[in-house]
Amino acid sequence: VAVRERRVALKRLAVAGFGMMQVMMFAVGLYAGAFEGMDPVLREYLRLVSLLVATPVLFYSGRPFIEGAWRTLRARQLGMDVPVSVALILAYSASVWNTFRGGGEVYFDSVTMFIFLLLLGRFTEMTARHHAGSTSDALVRLVPASALRVRDGRQERVAVADLAVGDEVVVPAGEAFPVDGRLLEGGTSADESLLTGESVTVAKT
């Protein structure tokens, strides 16, 4: 699931990044033309091309924000996706209207840049979440399912879930500690690198 989520997020981010760069190039021409003059036909051409590039960015890359806003509105709640989606759709709609009527300002560059930066932030957050999840999974896998419990001088293999406070267990060399406890006899060194990040083993006596 995490791999699929990451792959889809990368595709959306790539489309948004490519679209943002293209629309920004057209926007530079439009801004320069506003100050130095530009052939109206060329200006309308750059606006139409910007519209064509910004459309898949909004409705493919920006889809998570629009869907998230729709879900929260259906639940009669207001989440962060609602103002984001409203701003994107309004800016896009105004730009489309001004493009076809041949006047006013267009904001396709702002729409694509905003989507790219939001997706970049979400991708960074998702990567950190997956990393934390993989660390937690590794911790769970390290915990053994059973332990050697000592009762009446005899050792018996029992499930870790069956251990109770006060039980004594034997941990053979090389095995993981099944539960938190106090070392009653002997000495050893424990690898706590997954918990602390320190690679040197810690002496236990």
Side-chain angles (χ1 to χ4, degrees), residues 15 18-20 22-23 26 44-60 92 95-96 99-100 108-109 112:
V15 171
F18 178 77
M20 179 190 68
Q22 295 300 312
V23 174
F26 303 142
E44 296 308 314
Y45 171 75
L46 290 177
R47 288 187 169 197
L48 283 172
V49 175
S50 299
L51 167 61
L52 292 176
V53 176
T55 299
V57 173
L58 175 63
F59 293 105
Y60 175 71
Y92 175 81
S95 300
V96 172
T99 296
F100 286 108
F108 297 120
D109 53 334
T112 54

Side-chain angles (χ1 to χ4, degrees), residues 54-126:
T55 299
V57 173
L58 175 63
F59 293 105
Y60 175 71
S61 297
R63 182 176 176 180
F65 308 112
I66 298 174
E67 289 182 343
W70 177 247
R71 283 194 301 268
T72 55
L73 287 176
R74 288 182 62 185
R76 297 183 178 181
Q77 297 177 349
L78 286 178
M80 284 302 298
D81 287 335
V82 174
V84 168
S85 299
V86 169
L88 291 174
I89 293 174
L90 286 178
Y92 175 81
S93 301
S95 300
V96 172
W97 172 260
N98 289 335
T99 296
F100 286 108
R101 79 181 183 91
E105 300 295 331
V106 293
Y107 308 100
F108 297 120
D109 53 334
S110 300
V111 171
T112 54
M113 181 179 64
F114 195 33
I115 291 175
F116 175 77
L117 293 177
L118 286 172
L119 286 177
L120 183 62
R122 287 200 175 185
F123 182 78
T124 304
E125 182 269 337
M126 182 191 68

